[in-house]
Each structure stands twice: as C-alpha cells, then as structure tokens.
Amino acid sequence: MSANNLECPIWGSGYSVEGYYKPQNRTFHVENSPRTGGGYVLPEATKNAIVENLSPEQKARLTTWLIDQRKQGNERPTITEQVVRFVTDSPPLPANDRAARLLEFIAKSATVISTRISVSSDTHDAFAYSESTSWEEVEFLIRYLERRGWIGCQHTGGSMSLCTVTVDGYSHIAELTTNLNASQAFIAMWFDETMEVALEQAICPAVEDAGFNPMRIDRKEHINKIEDEIIAEIRRSRFLIADFTHGEDGARGGVYYEAGFAHGLGIPVIFTCRADAVDTLHFDTNHYNHIVWATPEELRERLKNRILAVIGEGPSTHISSNDMVIP
C-alpha cells in the first residue's frame, strides 16, 4: 500500500518516506527515505533493535552504510541484525570525510554547475550524506567547505544557506571519485615469513573472494624508489588493508604511514591485527574497529565479509551484499 503518510522506520517521527509495508512477512520495503538518502529493506525485528538500542550517532553511521551500499549498485540494501552490530562497532566518519560527502551531495543536487542549492534544517538528505544529527553539524561543515573554496555561500540567516559548488570544488570531487571504480586493494603489513600463511591463505583469498585484486608492494617488479611505488599504488587502489601484527622488534611504522596516507586521500582502510599483538596497538589507531584474528581461516572469512560490508562487491564477484554475513 502507499506509505506516503508513514514515518521513516529508522529515524522515526518527523521523517516521512515513500514506500510500502508487507504485513505477510513483516518487512518494511522503503522506496525512498530522504533522511537515509534513499531506499532500504528492513525486517521488523531489526527495526525494533534499531529503535531500542541505537543512538542518533549510530543511526547516522547506519545511514552512511546505506549510502555506501547504494554507491556500489545495491539500490535498496537489506538491514540485517548483523549490519546493526557492525554499525554499532564502527567509528564515526572523520570530519573531512563528512565534509566531502556533503560537497558531493550539493553537487549532485545541482541541475547545472552554476545552480545554487538551498541547504537548511529541513534538507534531510544533507544530514544523511554528511553523517550529521543536527543542523549545527551541517552548518559547521558548510562553513568548512566555504573556507576551503569548494563552495560559495549566501547565508540567509537562520537555518538556511544557498550553496554553489565552485570549479575547485568540482575538481576536488573528481579527485575523490577517481578510485570508486578501481579493482585493486593495497595490502600494508609486516614483511616477515611468519605472516606468509596469513597473506597467502587469508588476506589475498579474501580480497579475491570479494571481487578485488590484491596488491602487496614487495611482490611488484619495479625500478623506482619503493616509497614512490607505495604512494602510486595506494592512489590506484579502491581500499587499503592494514594489518598491524608485528614481532618483538616493535610496531611496523610503514603500515601506520600507509594507512594514514590512504586516510588522507579519503581511501577506506580496513584494520586487522593478530590477537597476540592487539594490546600493542598505537593509540592513534586502537580506537578503530579492527578484525582481531587467531587463524588464517578466521581472518579470510571475516575480512571478506568486512570488505563486502564496507566497500561492496568488486568487479570480479557476483556475491549479493544482501546475502553476506558481517563479522
């Protein structure tokens, strides 16, 4: 039936949706919810878990997950209980990523490049794309984009701004989206023979299972400086896997550097670490949601599912993200 008079099952009162509800299997099929940036499928049991357990900030991270799934071609992702657990454990997006996503939303909303877009406290899509829970957060990000020269703004007073993406803003968007169609995954890890089994039986197969091509720099033939090759290959990658396992000689500075460089480019990083090294993680990264593994078999399965959850399917797979199990 028509659901134009229904509220968003995730965000509740004040957020209307277009869609319908199927009572025979007690599942919400939402065609479009501006507060989540589009449509989704939500079993009622999962809805109850969201309403009862998730904070507004966690709902915002769930909204980010939905938007990322749609970018990978899954127009109406199914929100399972495993997805909810994954979102609960995930850290919030860094502020620069949130600003970049808001910039993309404003550009996408423009019919021509000179169009001025009204962004206000009622622009629910702007909240969705920027992982925001209040107008103050959206306004803060708008002013950041304005200071960087990526948008021009006319502030009308109150809770509204008229925004135009500048040429520099469109150039920045082009840089951010260069990697979206990349098939390569860069692997940053300890180059030690004790990690060969994890590489050959877990990390590389997991990347391939998800439809991507693994790249570890010590396996590449080249004649250039290794530092230049690392930077070039990270830039070419859709995402980076950083395993922080190390031996008695201490943390691997190269892994931290490569993960930080990818973050700076806006390239997603998936963090992993063998269980016996978790207590030695540096404070700069220990708050991220690491896959803590004990065996190659465990790492392969959990890493594959994490890639499918965070990145989506690669060009070489036919696995449905609606069928995945998220660690």
Side-chain angles (χ1 to χ4, degrees):
M1 65 178 178
S2 173
N4 292 329
N5 60 339
L6 289 181
E7 62 187 29
C8 177
I10 295 173
W11 285 97
S13 178
Y15 303 101
S16 61
V17 302
E18 301 170 3
Y20 56 92
Y21 174 68
K22 281 189 173 181
Q24 62 268 30
N25 61 8
R26 306 192 67 79
T27 298
F28 291 90
H29 292 253
V30 176
E31 298 292 343
N32 180 48
S33 168
R35 187 58 185 86
T36 67
Y40 57 86
V41 177
L42 179 63
E44 189 169 58
T46 310
K47 173 184 179 294
N48 294 336
I50 291 172
V51 172
E52 294 171 6
N53 300 323
L54 293 193
S55 66
E57 291 75 19
Q58 289 169 330
K59 290 180 181 180
R61 292 199 286 277
L62 175 59
T63 298
T64 294
W65 181 85
L66 288 168
I67 290 172
D68 287 347
Q69 288 291 304
R70 296 188 199 104
K71 286 182 178 179
Q72 296 299 320
N74 187 6
E75 293 185 3
R76 281 199 296 161
T78 297
I79 306 171
T80 65
E81 292 182 11
Q82 291 92 341
V83 169
V84 174
R85 287 197 294 271
F86 170 74
V87 167
T88 302
D89 292 337
S90 298
L93 284 175
N96 61 312
D97 286 352
R98 294 171 60 185
R101 287 166 178 259
L102 180 59
L103 176 64
E104 289 184 55
F105 165 72
I106 295 170
K108 187 181 73 169
S109 302
T111 53
V112 295
I113 60 173
S114 60
T115 302
R116 287 200 294 183
I117 302 300
S118 172
V119 182
S120 72
S121 58
D122 293 326
T123 311
H124 297 157
D125 294 273
F127 286 69
Y129 277 82
S130 62
E131 202 174 274
S132 296
T133 60
S134 69
W135 169 248
E136 288 74 20
E137 290 181 281
V138 176
E139 189 174 37
F140 175 84
L141 297 172
I142 287 174
R143 293 187 182 278
Y144 168 80
L145 293 173
E146 188 178 19
R147 288 195 300 271
R148 295 300 300 265
W150 294 333
I151 61 173
C153 274
Q154 177 184 344
H155 300 287
T156 61
S159 301
M160 178 181 291
S161 294
L162 298 175
C163 305
T164 306
V165 179
T166 65
V167 173
D168 285 344
Y170 280 110
S171 296
H172 184 62
I173 291 171
E175 292 175 2
L176 293 173
T177 56
T178 298
N179 291 67
L180 287 180
N181 295 320
S183 61
Q184 178 170 288
F186 188 92
I187 300 170
M189 62 184 296
W190 182 24
F191 292 174
D192 186 80
E193 61 181 14
T194 62
M195 293 295 291
E196 287 300 305
V197 173
L199 177 69
E200 298 294 346
Q201 297 184 16
I203 297 176
C204 287
V207 170
E208 292 165 350
D209 290 346
F212 294 92
N213 302 317
M215 157 58 68
R216 201 177 89 165
I217 199 66
D218 65 324
R219 301 289 177 89
K220 180 184 178 182
E221 297 291 341
H222 65 87
I223 58 173
N224 301 317
K225 288 176 60 180
I226 187 66
E227 295 85 355
D228 293 341
E229 286 297 315
I230 289 172
I231 289 172
E233 292 300 339
I234 291 175
R235 288 184 181 277
R236 295 188 186 106
S237 298
R238 176 67 181 87
F239 62 98
L240 182 142
I241 297 168
D243 187 274
F244 292 90
T245 306
H246 62 76
E248 294 180 357
D249 54 346
R252 317 312 298 173
V255 178
Y256 284 90
Y257 170 80
E258 290 155 22
F261 182 72
H263 260 309
L265 294 176
I267 295 172
V269 177
I270 295 177
F271 296 82
T272 70
C273 186
R274 199 171 61 202
D276 61 356
V278 169
D279 291 341
T280 63
L281 288 171
H282 195 271
F283 70 88
D284 284 341
T285 61
N286 63 11
H287 59 286
Y288 287 103
N289 183 22
H290 289 68
I291 296 174
V292 179
W293 57 276
T295 66
E297 294 77 15
E298 177 188 17
L299 177 58
R300 176 174 180 173
E301 185 64 18
R302 295 186 64 194
L303 180 57
K304 178 194 72 174
N305 289 328
R306 182 68 59 84
I307 294 168
L308 292 173
V310 177
I311 309 301
E313 302 171 11
S316 302
T317 187
H318 300 289
I319 299 172
S320 171
S321 56
N322 282 345
D323 295 333
M324 66 189 174
V325 177
I326 298 176

